[in-house]
């Protein structure tokens, strides 16, 4: 886990650049004495940063282990991460500091501990008896490379095989090496002339702990007698070995080989295997060996009391099955089932009823770890169905392209989404309960609902219940359903502007109260959805096409080449494209055979069945203009109270009335300024402007951090015409390979930065649009990439039927504000400093015919404006909070004076800024490209927190980082995982309680009964005093240079991770560990005492037997 330095910034002070801005502050508001003084309650002690939980599938998994008594599953990854899974809702993430790949995991079964072996030849002992597991001991091998580990059940001696073919023995309690070593040359002696290769397998005979089976890669297997320190038998086969497994009676074992064969050996007949099987080989008629197959990477041999044993294996398919998916093969008696997997198999384990290797195993399930999924197969049911996976491991089903986080949502939302999502569940799962059910849930102190929405590359949108640090999928919406699918690549329309994933989601705008959802996709399309619990069939999908272009021509006015502000509205009943505008250049360009007035995607023209959930209200598409593709949408906002949706790109802005299905506004960014354009943009020749108009985009969501110039914002990156947004989030692409490096035109500079001003932020609100306003009115605030804020006034018709008949009148107000850097976020506060959310219309079911009196009510209904002081008096003022990439300003309204200002960063830029509520107050939270997370009080913008959290390592983090209310935040830490964090001191302190317990006290099952005859004639499991063999007294000390012992933080790390920050907490953890050590010591003493009493009991019993053996039963 990265140790970051938490600097709590004192009130009124901040790091570096911020202090300078604080000094300028008094000059910023000469009218400051007239500003009403707002009592701010947030102080720096309310803030603290710590990671809370990580959700999703472990990225690049490499190892798997299961504790059959505790019922806990562990997964290790190639980046040194460790994920532990118990019952649904109990999971935990830990990280090895070195970041080396985990090659093997071994539970100390029912002990609450786990050993991990890493690719850097270190072994680590994890304590799982605390909520945040921590490393107790580490051991670093200096001269040999670790290849395989084996820890027998209820043993404290861990066998470690190495690349040189030697076996070392580690005492798990002290994590020290025993002097007992099995050298490779002693193990094979003269049976082979060459080195046998690395150790690939170690296991003890289930019936005799004194016999160790060692598998070498070359094909040699040795049965080693630990007491006599010599080999009993050696088994050789001319194919490399991948894995070995015992039959529980200890008389046979099975090996899997690199030629796709399995060999079964009798322990006492080493000359040749008793059976050779090629599960997937074609049997040739003339008795020849079957054709070789792919290697069988792993085999397991599991027995049942009442039937044939199971042989389960991965790999081994024949070489001619090209394109066949990876398979798990289950052989049971005469039947062989081949189960195809979606991804390649990393590892698998059979879950058995008993932890004892010398008993009938009774396998009931197989857990298969795939490259990108975790599958659990039910062995007890016919057809081997899979269990329904209750963990949130499907985040990456299609790559995530954006996400949004909402804390403190309306309470009825999660049940509503769950009920429509429940109908989407697949059928055919196993009927049994999920068998990995260890651990206990934490005490969820947080009771507010939280929802995460993820947008994906295939156009799907998923809603997740994220309440109380858990995650569960609620509902999935497929936005691509409204478009015609191209069956093959040749059939694809040549209007595509992206190479792949044309439906990928770029921006999500959601109003939780009204449940209105709006998405913007990569093909310059916007879809508006309403939530309904009723199924409907939409005969014709309502659609609009918008011609949003930006050209400055050789004419006096900048608006020379602009489409008229009000293109013909298109009715919902008979959608038709807007007629082409009759401009000389566009008509001439279309006659030249250039694409014109066509959208990128084709909307379906057949009736669409819409299931309960989110249903399409309107599809809006930007069209090609004169051979140039529409530019991607950079900002989006929807308002249910006004019935409007607005979006912008680097050409301009468009506003649509989704109730009347009409375009209200369609303007180039320059036109929003009117005569007040501060840049005095000069007209240009159309030839110059036409050519690179696709090449030099300012695409706010697509920029990349250029290593040479870290302080430039992503908005200034040069973009290519062929944009491929989702691919940057895909794991297989390098960060440096960003779209701007593939720009098709080198003459990007022919349009300077000013002329490409993108719309970067949009906010509907009810506020003062002009200085002279005496009362607030509905308006839209627009922020651009050049740091300008413009205000558009909205004149809405009265509610009810009039709203559908009269037009909405939209007019730029002339108000202009300026900040440094692109505008990211805007919000409004009332005179007391409380947040004023945008007005909304509460959700109601639209697909139910209303009664007459209901209609009357609707007519009278006014939109809900949910301000704490909704009766805005004329004398009351408001504050606009505006956050850009470089600074934040608080503007007093209606006077438009700058009340407060804060320069957030000089050398970097803000990637995400959110105005959020915390502890019944509000603050501005920012995440900078230099890795700092900062919070500022509102309205005075005092710095409250400045923590170096993580550097911006890739575009995925930049695109998915978001803050929400109550001190919560998240980002996509890998292509498959969401990392949640908190910046609230209170949550940090409660986190320890909220986390689940991994370890629960469980009785170890009784050992199998040896049975009367086995006890009488021997033949039961032979035990071994390993202490006597491997202890220092008999085997001496190991060479010091062989391995180095590193004491772990021993639980302290766990508490530090929980960020409770209390010294007592650390002391308690220390005491608990000491107590545990004492208890383990007591346990050993008690066990020894029990053994001696059992011994004396058996002596007495023997004496009694001798005394009475000659007496008849009736003489007693």
């Amino acid at each position: 886990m990265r140790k970051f330095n938490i600097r709590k910034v004192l009130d009124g002070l901040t790091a570096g650049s911020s202090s300078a801005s604080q000094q300028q502050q008094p000059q910023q508001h000469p009218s400051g004495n007239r500003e009403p003084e707002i009592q701010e309650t947030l102080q720096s002690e309310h803030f603290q940063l710590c990671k809370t939980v990580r959700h999703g599938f472990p990225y690049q998994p490499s190892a798997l282990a299961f504790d059959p008594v505790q019922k806990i599953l562990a997964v290790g990854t190639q980046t040194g991460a460790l994920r532990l899974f118990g019952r649904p809702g109990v999971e935990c993430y830990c990280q090895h500091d070195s970041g080396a790949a985990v090659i093997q995991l071994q539970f100390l079964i029912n002990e609450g501990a786990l050993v991990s072996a890493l690719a850097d030849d270190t072994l680590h002992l994890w304590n799982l008896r605390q909520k945040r597991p921590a490393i107790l001991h580490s051991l670093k091998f200096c001269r040999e490379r670790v290849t395989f580990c084996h820890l027998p059940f209820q043993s404290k001696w861990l066998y470690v095989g190495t690349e040189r073919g030697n076996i070392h023995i580690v005492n798990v309690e002290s994590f020290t090496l025993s002097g007992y070593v099995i050298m490779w040359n002693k193990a094979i002696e003269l049976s082979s002339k060459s080195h046998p290769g690395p150790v690939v397998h170690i296991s003890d005979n289930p019936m005799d702990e004194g016999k160790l089976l060692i598998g070498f890669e070359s094909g040699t297997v040795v049965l080693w007698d630990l007491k006599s320190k010599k080999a009993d038998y050696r088994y050789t086969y001319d194919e490399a070995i991948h894995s070995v497994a015992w039959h529980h009676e200890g008389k046979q074992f099975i090996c899997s080989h690199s030629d796709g064969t399995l060999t079964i050996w009798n322990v006492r007949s080493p000359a040749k295997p008793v059976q050779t099987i090629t599960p997937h080989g074609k049997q040739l008629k003339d008795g020849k060996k079957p054709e070789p197959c792919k290697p069988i990477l792993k085999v397991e041999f599991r027995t049942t009391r009442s039937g044939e044993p199971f042989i389960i294996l991965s790999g081994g398919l024949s070489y001619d099955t090209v394109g066949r998916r990876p398979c798990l093969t289950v052989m049971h008696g005469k039947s062989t089932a081949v189960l195809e997997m979606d991804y390649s198999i990393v590892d698998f384990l059979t879950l058995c009823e008993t932890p004892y290797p010398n008993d009938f195993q009774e396998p009931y399930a197989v857990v298969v770890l795939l490259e990108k999924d975790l599958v659990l197969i039910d062995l007890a049911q016919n057809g081997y169905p899979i269990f329904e996976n209750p963990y949130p491991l499907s985040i990456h089903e299609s790559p995530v392209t954006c996400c949004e986080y909402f804390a403190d949502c309306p309470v009825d939302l999660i049940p509503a989404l769950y009920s429509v999502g429940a109908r989407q569940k697949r059928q055919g799962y196993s009927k049994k309960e999920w068998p990995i059910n260890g651990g206990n849930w934490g005490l969820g102190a947080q009771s507010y609902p939280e929802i995460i929405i993820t947008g994906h590359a295939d156009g799907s949108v998923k809603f997740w219940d994220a309440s109380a640090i858990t995650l569960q999928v609620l509902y999935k919406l497929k936005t691509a359903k409204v478009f015609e699918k191209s069956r093959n690549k040749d059939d694809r329309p040549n209007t595509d502007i992206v190479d792949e994933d044309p439906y990928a989601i770029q921006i999500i705008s959601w109003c939780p109260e009204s449940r209105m959802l709006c998405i913007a996709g990569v093909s310059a399309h916007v879809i508006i959805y309403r939530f309904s619990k009723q199924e409907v069939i939409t005969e014709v999908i309502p659609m609009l096409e918008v011609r949003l272009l930006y050209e400055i021509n050789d004419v006096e006015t900048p608006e020379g080449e602009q489409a008229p502000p009000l293109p013909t509205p298109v009715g919902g009943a008979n959608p038709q494209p807007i007629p082409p505008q009759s401009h000389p250049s566009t008509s001439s360009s279309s006659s030249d055979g250039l694409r014109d007035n066509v959208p990128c995607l084709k909307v379906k023209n057949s009736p669409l069945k819409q299931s309960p959930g989110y249903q399409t209200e309107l599809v809006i598409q930007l069209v090609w203009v004169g051979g140039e593709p529409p530019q991607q949408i950079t900002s989006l906002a929807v308002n249910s109270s006004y019935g409007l949706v607005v979006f912008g790109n680097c050409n301009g802005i468009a506003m649509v009335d989704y109730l009347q299905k009409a375009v209200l506004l369609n303007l180039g960014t320059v036109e929003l300024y009117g005569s007040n354009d501060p840049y005095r943009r000069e007209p240009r020749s159309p030839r110059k402007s036409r050519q690179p108009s696709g090449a030099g985009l300012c695409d706010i969501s697509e920029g990349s951090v250029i290593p040479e110039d870290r302080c430039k914002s992503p908005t200034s990156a040069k973009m290519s015409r062929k944009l491929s947004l989702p691919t940057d989030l895909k794991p297989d692409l390098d960060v440096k390979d960003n779209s701007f490096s593939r720009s098709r035109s080198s003459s990007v500079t022919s349009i300077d930065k000013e002329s490409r001003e993108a719309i970067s932020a949009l906010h509907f609100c009810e506020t003062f649009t002009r200085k002279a306003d005496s009362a607030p009115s509905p308006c839209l605030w627009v922020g651009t990439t050049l740091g300008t804020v413009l205000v558009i006034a909205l004149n809405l018709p009265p509610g009810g039927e009039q709203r559908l008949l009269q037009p909405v009148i939209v007019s730029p107000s002339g108000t202009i504000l300026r900040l440094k850097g692109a505008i990211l976020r805007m919000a409004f506060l009332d005179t007391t400093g409380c947040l004023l959310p945008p007005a909304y219309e509460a959700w109601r079911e639209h697909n139910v015919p209303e009664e007459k009196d209901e209609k009357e009510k609707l007519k009278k209904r006014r939109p809900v404006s949910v301000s704490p002081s909704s009766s805005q008096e004329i004398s009351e003022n408001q504050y606009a909070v505006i956050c850009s990439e470089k600074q934040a300003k608080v503007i007093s309204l209606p006077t438009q004076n700058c009340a407060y200002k804060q320069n957030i960063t000089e050398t970097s830029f803000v990637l995400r800024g959110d105005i959020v509520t915390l502890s019944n107050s509000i603050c501005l939270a920012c995440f900078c490209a230099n890795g700092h997370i900062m919070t500022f009080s509102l309205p005075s913008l005092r710095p409250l927190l400045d923590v170096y959290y993580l550097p911006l390592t890739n575009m995925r983090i930049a695109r998915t980082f978001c803050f929400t209310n109550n001190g919560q935040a998240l980002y996509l830490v890998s292509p498959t995982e969401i990392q949640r964090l908190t910046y609230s001191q209170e949550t940090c302190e409660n986190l320890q309680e909220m986390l689940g317990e991994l370890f629960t006290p469980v009785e170890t099952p009784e050992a199998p009964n040896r049975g009367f005859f086995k006890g009488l004639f021997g033949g039961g499991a032979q035990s071994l005093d390993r202490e006597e063999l491997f202890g220092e007294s008999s085997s001496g000390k190991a060479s010091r240079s062989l391995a180095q012992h590193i004491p772990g933080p021993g639980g302290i790390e766990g508490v530090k991770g929980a960020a409770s920050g209390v010294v007592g907490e650390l002391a308690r953890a220390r005491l608990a560990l000491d107590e545990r050590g004492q208890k383990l010591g007591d346990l050993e003493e008690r066990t020894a005492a029990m053994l001696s009493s059992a011994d004396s009991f058996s002596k007495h019993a023997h004496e009694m037997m001798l005394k009475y053996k000659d007496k008849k039963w009736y003489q007693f």
Side-chain angles (χ1 to χ4, degrees), residues 305-598:
R305 269 193 177 79
S306 56
E308 301 276 347
F310 282 89
I311 296 174
I312 301 164
L313 56 118
S314 64
L317 293 178
S318 65
Y319 280 103
D320 59 5
T321 49
V322 180
R324 182 140 176 213
R325 293 195 295 181
C327 293
L328 186 83
T329 307
V330 180
M331 299 166 73
H332 185 223
K334 287 179 181 170
S335 77
T336 300
V338 181
L339 310 173
E340 287 199 342
M341 302 290 155
D342 289 338
Y343 307 100
S344 50
I345 297 171
V346 175
D347 198 357
F348 73 88
L349 288 173
T350 317
L351 307 191
C352 300
E353 295 290 355
T354 176
Y356 293 94
N358 59 348
D359 193 8
F360 285 99
Q361 268 100 40
E362 304 293 349
Y364 58 89
V366 184
V367 57
V368 190
L369 178 64
L370 305 174
E371 211 172 36
K372 293 184 179 177
D373 203 0
L374 183 78
V375 176
L376 202 60
I377 296 157
D378 185 350
L379 288 179
Q381 222 170 303
N382 281 342
Y384 305 132
I386 62 167
F387 287 86
E388 185 175 6
N389 197 322
Y391 305 134
L393 301 182
S394 62
I395 291 169
H396 63 289
E397 189 177 18
S398 167
V400 176
T401 50
C402 65
C403 59
E404 292 295 336
Y405 190 6
F406 300 86
D408 217 1
C409 304
V411 287
D412 57 347
L413 252 180
I414 289 174
L417 287 163
Y418 182 81
S419 67
V420 293
R423 304 172 196 217
Q424 300 177 326
K425 291 207 170 156
R426 281 176 50 198
Q427 300 302 312
Y429 289 113
S430 166
K431 297 187 170 51
K432 294 208 185 91
E433 289 283 309
W434 182 255
I436 303 163
N437 55 13
N440 277 325
W441 292 306
L443 304 164
Q446 293 178 349
S447 54
Y448 52 85
E450 297 173 72
I451 290 177
I452 294 169
I453 307 179
T454 52
H456 299 264
D458 64 353
S460 58
V461 176
K462 285 184 184 173
F463 290 77
W464 305 81
D465 176 5
S467 313
I469 71 169
T470 60
L471 193 71
Q472 183 187 2
V473 72
L474 291 169
Y475 171 70
K476 178 179 171 181
L477 167 68
K478 294 177 180 171
T479 66
K481 273 200 319 192
V482 299
F483 299 111
E484 296 281 5
K485 289 269 199 324
S486 47
R487 285 181 182 78
N488 54 24
K489 285 202 171 167
D490 311 329
D491 189 32
R492 278 199 6 207
N494 55 3
T495 52
D496 278 8
I497 55 168
V498 283
D499 293 324
E500 53 182 85
D501 302 323
Y503 312 111
I505 308 291
Q506 237 174 331
I507 310 172
I508 295 167
S509 175
W510 187 53
C511 172
E513 288 79 13
S514 66
R515 305 185 190 173
M516 286 301 292
L517 172 72
C518 195
I519 63 98
V522 77
S523 295
H525 63 281
V526 171
I527 310 177
I528 302 149
Y529 290 93
R530 268 189 206 279
F531 185 83
S532 171
K533 292 181 179 177
Q534 310 290 322
E535 183 177 294
V536 291
I537 291 176
T538 308
E539 292 299 327
V540 180
I541 299 165
M543 65 173 229
L544 281 176
E545 289 175 359
V546 177
R547 189 181 171 87
L548 189 61
L549 76 155
Y550 173 86
E551 289 192 277
I552 305 178
N553 239 345
D554 270 337
V555 279
E556 291 308 304
T557 55
E559 299 92 358
E561 255 308 294
Q562 191 62 48
L566 291 171
T568 320
V570 180
N574 52 346
Q576 61 194 63
I578 293 166
Q581 317 302 335
S582 56
H583 287 299
S585 80
T586 53
S587 56
S588 64
S589 61
S590 48
S591 62
D592 295 346
L594 293 169
R595 281 185 213 118
D596 194 58
N597 255 20
V598 282

Side-chain angles (χ1 to χ4, degrees), residues 180-183 185-189 210-214 222-234 1029:
Y180 191 116
V181 183
I182 304 171
M183 302 302 283
N185 51 356
K186 193 99 191 303
I188 66 161
E189 281 184 339
K211 302 281 195 275
L212 199 65
L213 195 70
I214 306 160
V222 173
L223 188 68
W224 181 264
D225 187 313
L226 290 164
K227 283 182 186 165
S228 64
K229 300 187 183 177
K230 66 178 198 301
D232 279 357
Y233 300 103
R234 296 183 182 88
L1029 269 180

Side-chain angles (χ1 to χ4, degrees), residues 685-802:
S685 117
R687 207 176 300 109
K688 269 188 187 169
S689 71
R690 170 74 47 78
Q691 197 268 339
S693 69
L697 308 193
C698 289
D699 185 336
I700 187 162
S701 65
E702 178 56 51
S704 172
V705 183
I706 306 161
E708 294 85 66
D709 192 358
R710 285 302 289 274
C711 69
K712 272 196 180 157
S713 86
T715 53
S716 60
K718 306 277 187 289
M719 299 311 308
S720 76
R721 164 180 161 184
K722 279 275 188 186
L723 289 162
S724 54
L725 161 107
T727 51
D728 291 331
L729 290 152
K730 288 182 183 174
D732 48 356
L733 279 190
D734 192 60
V735 184
K736 297 179 190 76
D737 175 30
N738 226 335
S739 318
F740 64 79
S741 61
R742 304 193 292 275
S743 176
R744 74 185 171 104
S745 161
S746 56
S747 60
V748 185
T749 47
S750 61
I751 289 191
D752 58 348
K753 174 171 125 174
E754 278 77 26
S755 71
R756 278 291 180 188
E757 183 176 12
I759 306 293
S760 56
L762 295 162
H763 189 87
F764 284 106
C765 52
E766 213 150 306
T767 187
F768 304 91
T769 51
R770 297 173 186 83
K771 285 185 182 180
D773 282 4
S774 57
S777 58
C779 55
L780 170 73
W781 283 50
V782 180
T784 76
T785 49
L786 296 185
T788 307
V789 176
L790 304 138
V791 183
I792 295 173
L794 308 173
N795 191 341
L796 297 161
E801 282 176 20
Q802 290 302 305

Side-chain angles (χ1 to χ4, degrees), residues 656-678:
V656 169
D657 178 343
Y658 66 76
L659 298 174
Q660 293 186 22
K661 315 281 188 278
V663 180
L664 301 174
L665 180 75
N666 178 1
L667 283 179
T669 319
V670 177
E671 286 189 301
L672 284 172
Y673 289 91
S675 57
N676 303 332
D677 185 3

Side-chain angles (χ1 to χ4, degrees), residues 831-906:
T831 189
T832 63
C834 293
L835 195 63
L836 286 169
Y840 64 85
E841 184 182 86
W843 178 79
R844 62 189 173 84
E845 181 59 74
H846 272 259
N847 292 332
V848 176
E850 285 121 357
E851 300 296 321
K852 265 195 176 173
D853 53 333
E854 280 288 319
K855 280 192 173 172
E856 289 304 312
K857 275 186 206 166
L858 281 176
K859 278 184 196 174
K860 292 170 188 164
R861 250 166 44 134
R862 290 297 303 144
V864 187
S865 180
V866 280
S867 69
S869 52
S870 49
S871 58
Q872 285 280 332
E873 288 174 26
I874 292 167
S875 62
E876 284 189 348
N877 62 345
Q878 288 183 1
Y879 296 97
V881 182
I882 306 166
C883 174
S884 81
E885 287 178 331
K886 293 285 186 182
Q887 59 181 193
K889 280 186 181 179
V890 173
I891 310 287
S892 181
L893 298 175
T895 60
Q896 295 181 15
N897 293 331
C898 178
Y900 303 97
K901 173 182 163 185
Q902 175 67 266
N903 288 334
I904 299 168
T905 172
E906 295 290 345

Side-chain angles (χ1 to χ4, degrees), residues 191-363:
S191 66
S192 166
K193 290 176 184 173
S194 55
H195 188 279
V199 175
V200 293
H201 179 82
I202 308 168
S203 60
D204 42 346
N205 185 321
M207 285 296 178
D208 188 352
E209 294 170 354
K211 302 281 195 275
L212 199 65
L213 195 70
I214 306 160
F216 296 97
E217 193 180 67
S218 65
T220 303
V221 178
V222 173
L223 188 68
W224 181 264
D225 187 313
L226 290 164
K227 283 182 186 165
S228 64
K229 300 187 183 177
K230 66 178 198 301
D232 279 357
Y233 300 103
R234 296 183 182 88
Y235 316 83
T236 50
Y237 191 72
D238 52 6
E239 289 293 339
I241 288 177
H242 283 278
S243 75
V244 185
W246 279 102
H247 185 284
H248 86 271
E249 288 175 348
K251 292 172 186 170
Q252 282 190 337
F253 62 88
I254 188 168
C255 302
S256 76
H257 299 278
S258 56
D259 65 344
T261 57
L262 297 172
T263 53
I264 298 176
W265 301 78
N266 276 344
V267 171
R268 291 171 188 271
S269 40
K272 67 178 196 344
V274 286
Q275 199 181 353
T276 304
I277 311 164
T278 312
H280 295 281
K282 287 181 183 153
Q283 296 298 327
L284 302 172
K285 287 177 186 170
D286 46 5
K288 286 182 185 170
K289 276 177 76 177
E291 290 173 9
C293 295
K294 293 174 186 172
I296 295 176
L297 300 175
K298 184 171 182 181
V299 64
E300 291 208 343
F301 201 177
R302 300 295 185 195
T303 52
T304 59
R305 269 193 177 79
S306 56
E308 301 276 347
F310 282 89
I311 296 174
I312 301 164
L313 56 118
S314 64
L317 293 178
S318 65
Y319 280 103
D320 59 5
T321 49
V322 180
R324 182 140 176 213
R325 293 195 295 181
C327 293
L328 186 83
T329 307
V330 180
M331 299 166 73
H332 185 223
K334 287 179 181 170
S335 77
T336 300
V338 181
L339 310 173
E340 287 199 342
M341 302 290 155
D342 289 338
Y343 307 100
S344 50
I345 297 171
V346 175
D347 198 357
F348 73 88
L349 288 173
T350 317
L351 307 191
C352 300
E353 295 290 355
T354 176
Y356 293 94
N358 59 348
D359 193 8
F360 285 99
Q361 268 100 40
E362 304 293 349

